[in-house]
Amino acid sequence: MESLGSLVGSPWIYAVVALSVLLDVFLPVLPSGVLVITAATAAAAGTATDVPDILALTLCAATASVLGDLVAYRLAWRGGARLDRAIARSRRLSKAQERLGATLARGGGALVVLARFAPAGRSVVSLGAGAARHRARDFLPWSALAGLSWAGYSVALGYFGAHWLGATWLATAVSVGALFAAGAGAGFLMRRRPHPRPSEAS
């Protein structure tokens, strides 16, 4: 962790975290969550002495998450017929777009928050909201809550993992495992079919 701390102790870590989180809406394979956890672990261990505090890391990751969502949303909004056809060819994207539209229309955005934790869920929801031309004022507040929840959870995993298990790779591995477990749980909840309301069932 001392060697790692020398790498993440530079102020450049914020730029690396922000870029990774911003771009993983388009490239879900980027290890943005792992990077955030690792930086938080090193900072909590006291090896990253130049990193101001955990709050700055959380705000950096959350802000980059919202900006990435907004970029994807706007690109999908302007995508036109080509993007609509691409979504129509994907059963998963079509179903996600329909569920997102119904959720936002009811004024609820739990799906947006869940999607931020699920693998590739953020991409599906952000692009789907833009392609369906849902109002930004309906989508962005939930995107902000999702980004803050994900960033806070990831940073907390790294921070408390270092305090409870020490500045070891075991702490980082356990924290990353907890992040993946949350993603698996969110993916499961997103795949569940919502139960119809009494008025819809009749």
Side-chain angles (χ1 to χ4, degrees):
M1 290 302 294
E2 290 181 0
S3 299
L4 182 61
S6 65
L7 295 176
V8 300
S10 167
W12 282 103
I13 187 60
Y14 292 112
V16 174
V17 166
L19 186 62
S20 177
V21 173
L22 191 151
L23 292 179
D24 78 0
V25 70
F26 302 105
L27 301 170
V29 295
L30 288 177
S32 56
V34 176
L35 182 60
V36 171
I37 287 175
T38 303
T41 301
T47 55
T49 55
D50 293 333
V51 176
D53 55 34
I54 295 298
L55 178 60
L57 182 62
T58 303
L59 292 178
C60 174
T63 301
S65 179
V66 177
L67 289 177
D69 288 354
L70 180 59
V71 171
Y73 171 86
R74 293 303 301 175
L75 288 176
W77 182 288
R78 298 177 181 179
R82 178 180 297 182
L83 184 60
D84 291 340
R85 288 194 297 269
I87 291 177
R89 287 195 296 268
S90 171
R91 182 179 179 184
R92 180 183 179 187
L93 287 175
S94 298
K95 290 180 65 176
Q97 188 180 59
E98 292 174 3
R99 294 186 62 183
L100 176 64
T103 300
L104 293 178
R106 291 196 300 266
L111 180 64
V112 179
V113 178
L114 279 176
R116 186 60 186 88
F117 289 83
R122 175 191 181 198
S123 304
V124 171
V125 167
S126 298
L127 292 172
R133 292 172 174 77
H134 295 298
R135 296 177 301 180
R137 66 183 183 184
D138 290 335
F139 173 69
L140 287 182
W142 291 105
S143 170
L145 178 60
L148 187 59
S149 300
W150 174 83
Y153 180 72
S154 301
V155 169
L157 286 177
Y159 182 81
F160 290 110
H163 280 287
W164 293 337
L165 299 176
T168 64
W169 285 108
L170 175 61
T172 302
V174 170
S175 298
V176 170
L179 181 66
F180 287 164
F188 172 77
L189 292 175
M190 288 181 66
R191 289 191 297 269
R192 290 184 59 187
R193 293 179 61 86
H195 296 291
R197 296 181 177 180
S199 58
E200 296 172 344
S202 59

